[in-house]
Amino acid sequence: MVKKLVDITRNGLIESEHYGHGAIVDSSGKILKEWGDSSHLIYPRSSLKPIQSLNLYKDGYIDKAELSAKQIAFSTSSHFAEEIHQDLILKWLKEIKTDESKLACGEDWPWQLPEKFKAYDKYKKRRKIFHNCSGKHCAHLAVSLDRDLPIENYNSPDHTIQKELFSIIEDLAEFKIDKVGVDGCTLPNPFMPLKKFGQLLANFADFKKLRELSGIAETIYNSCVSKPEYAGGKESDNSILTKILNKKAFFKNGAEGVFAAIIPEQKIAAVVKIIDGNSRASSTAIAGMISELNLINKDELESFLNKPVYNSTDQTVGSISWCG
């Protein structure tokens, strides 16, 4: 049964409610805590990116190309297209001797209004490098070129890279993929139970259990927690939460109300899906779930557990609050 996870209040009264499903799962697939029904089927959306990075870099491309921590975090990001992100992707595309026209994601504007104005003043048009998944797509191009694989259809479920991704997911999640959707950035995304997605990420968190992939997973994790602004943005919820946890967890958000946290210290993962798909509730929900693990003082998560709601004059008039 679906569980109420987040209340939206105004003047101390509940105005709206967000329901969802959540789970904390260990690498054996054991559910340590559950909210709602963790067998609920979801698309992980961009929360899958740590696994996509693991798949891309499994053959040693990080060392071969001497990728920086910034590049690794960026390829695992849903970035805001801030100047640091724009500079990085343009440099990376130049290094691999290609250009943004080869990226399979769509054209977009930077995420935040000031950056949108700057981009319009400078370019007068949307660009693929501004797409929040362009880092992942750049990494797909880089690895495809290095492996002499076709780049025209790297986003196809039939491409070698995507077939290898499905194989890793099925192995780590112990789940057979039979339905695949198309993500907003055009890459394939598997339809799977929330608890199996949790098991997938928990296995990522259990580095030694990954055997030959353990070093790759640890490098990806360390890059994301050491360069959180490259894995999102200065004001991105996942980057802020990662900073608050001080390298104890990497948070990754996804579209349609999905949020996840990878916690190697305990070899577990937390995953949540807000049923109505509203992202304003998902970061509060994942923070609420994490607050029950006692990884840090609960007060440090207060800005997410009870997010202020402002009116047009910046007056606090309510809150977005964890109630799970």
Side-chain angles (χ1 to χ4, degrees), residues 86-87 90 100 109 117-127 129-130:
Q86 296 176 35
D87 291 344
L90 289 171
E100 67 184 285
W109 293 108
F117 283 129
K118 288 180 186 177
Y120 181 80
D121 287 342
K122 188 172 183 178
Y123 301 110
K124 300 292 189 293
K125 64 177 182 179
R126 299 185 302 166
R127 296 184 64 177
I129 63 167
F130 299 150

Side-chain angles (χ1 to χ4, degrees), residues 50 72-73 76 204-205 207 215-227 242 245-251 261-265:
I72 297 166
T76 314
F204 181 99
F207 299 139
I216 306 298
E218 192 167 5
T219 297
I220 293 168
Y221 178 85
N222 288 337
S223 297
C224 290
V225 297
S226 66
K227 302 294 180 183
T242 298
L245 268 290
N246 193 25
K247 300 184 179 180
K248 291 183 178 180
F250 172 55
F251 291 81
I262 296 170
I263 308 162
E265 189 177 285

